[in-house]
Amino acid sequence: MAANQTAPQSEAAARGPHKIKKKRSVLPGFGLSMGFTILYLSLIVLFPLAGIVVKSTGQTWSKFWETVTDPRVVASIQVSLSTSLVAALVNAVFGLIVAWVLVRYTFPGKRLIDGLVDLPFALPTAVAGIALTAIYSQNGLLGSFFDKYGIKTAYSPLGITIALLFIGLPFVVRTIQPVLEDLEKDVEEAAASLGASRWRTFRSVIFPAILPSLLTGFALAFARAIGEYGSVVFISGNMPMKTEIAPLLIRTKLEQYDYVGATTIALVMLIISFVLLLVINVLQWSASRRTINA
């Protein structure tokens, strides 16, 4: 009996470790698919970004600093960041409300409103910019109304914010909506049965569950707004030091054949976007951990 048990072991030892077959992966083709993934990301994302870095860092530090600290460049970056931040914050609030209404209530025309949310995705940004300018200009339907109260909409930072609100809303709604749909109502009913008010149920049960997706929608809306050009260039007025956005200034320098200056501004915007997205991702990760631990 003992001899029979030791025989297979001795045969396995004789074959050696190189004879043992490796277990096949459940998902075959990892090496090939990973290679295509890296190649695609390199061609679409990494190489263009590396070109920006190489082109902008090819100049002297004094020239780089002179371009970055130019008053016109600083003003355009401030306009882009401030309007993008305000638009993303407003979209985070009202995008949550829109997603809540679409998920929790049934009413006539619900599918129509749900489809209208995706309109900024399908509509060309230039068409959106022209339409918003016509509506919010001084002689427009809404612009004339606000002009009676001394509020200038088009050709002002407020007009830029309105355009960014238009293009950023779907990002927030579409990231929160699936989470609300998957949220179990049993937890809310349990909280209500224990005497919790509606506001406390939302604050303690619902909001922690949707907070990571809300931060994701905010980050996507903010990132899209920073680089938006088509819908903003018409309604902004493009006044240097006032309503000129950074993407427009980059294009202006490209038309002037100042490629180094254009890539320098692009590099600054890239660094700012990376830092802000990193902070948002850290907040999202922290919120997810608190939700899991809770």
Side-chain angles (χ1 to χ4, degrees):
M1 187 72 178
N4 295 333
Q5 293 178 350
T6 57
Q9 298 177 358
S10 61
E11 292 177 0
R15 287 197 300 265
H18 61 282
K19 296 293 185 179
I20 300 176
K21 294 182 179 180
K22 294 182 179 180
K23 293 183 179 180
R24 291 185 177 182
S25 174
V26 179
L27 298 176
F30 171 76
L32 183 61
S33 58
M34 188 63 179
F36 277 117
T37 301
I38 295 176
L39 177 62
Y40 184 79
L41 290 178
S42 299
L43 294 175
I44 302 300
V45 180
L46 297 181
F47 289 163
L49 296 183
I52 293 176
V53 176
V54 172
K55 187 69 176 180
S56 58
T57 55
Q59 56 185 328
T60 61
W61 171 252
S62 59
K63 181 65 176 177
F64 178 86
W65 185 252
E66 180 183 353
T67 303
V68 172
T69 56
D70 182 75
R72 185 177 178 182
V73 175
V74 174
S76 64
I77 294 177
Q78 287 179 347
V79 170
S80 295
L81 291 179
S82 59
T83 53
S84 299
L85 180 60
V86 172
L89 289 174
V90 174
N91 275 330
V93 176
F94 289 95
L96 173 59
I97 296 175
V98 173
W100 180 272
V101 171
L102 292 176
V103 172
R104 293 303 179 93
Y105 301 103
T106 302
F107 52 90
K110 178 179 178 179
R111 291 186 178 181
L112 177 61
I113 296 177
D114 192 26
L116 288 176
V117 172
D118 293 328
L119 185 60
F121 285 149
L123 191 67
T125 56
V127 176
I130 295 173
L132 291 173
T133 304
I135 294 174
Y136 286 98
S137 62
Q138 188 175 3
N139 299 325
L141 179 63
L142 297 178
S144 59
F145 172 78
F146 288 108
D147 188 65
K148 296 178 181 178
Y149 301 95
I151 301 175
K152 186 178 181 181
T153 49
Y155 315 124
S156 67
L158 179 58
I160 299 175
T161 305
I162 293 173
L164 298 181
L165 286 172
F166 175 79
I167 58 100
L169 180 64
F171 292 96
V172 181
V173 176
R174 293 314 184 201
T175 52
I176 299 177
Q177 193 172 358
V179 180
L180 286 175
E181 291 175 348
D182 295 336
L183 196 62
E184 298 180 358
K185 295 183 179 181
D186 296 342
V187 182
E188 303 175 38
E189 295 174 356
S193 64
L194 294 174
S197 62
R198 292 183 178 180
W199 169 244
R200 186 173 182 181
T201 301
F202 176 81
R203 179 171 52 88
S204 303
V205 177
I206 301 175
F207 187 73
I210 65 175
L211 181 58
S213 60
L214 179 62
L215 291 175
T216 301
F218 169 81
L220 292 175
F222 180 74
R224 170 65 189 275
I226 288 179
E228 179 59 24
Y229 175 81
S231 61
V232 177
V233 68
F234 296 102
I235 199 171
S236 65
N238 309 323
M239 292 179 286
M241 308 296 294
K242 293 181 179 180
T243 61
E244 186 179 43
I245 57 176
L248 177 63
L249 184 57
I250 292 174
R251 180 177 176 177
T252 301
K253 288 188 174 295
L254 289 175
E255 292 176 348
Q256 297 173 352
Y257 302 101
D258 185 7
Y259 300 116
V260 177
T263 54
T264 301
I265 302 173
L267 179 61
V268 173
M269 296 294 293
L270 182 64
I271 294 174
I272 294 174
S273 300
F274 271 136
V275 171
L276 292 176
L277 290 177
L278 177 62
V279 172
I280 293 173
N281 285 329
V282 170
L283 294 176
Q284 182 183 3
W285 173 77
S286 178
S288 300
R289 289 199 61 183
R290 286 198 301 267
T291 302
I292 294 174
N293 294 332

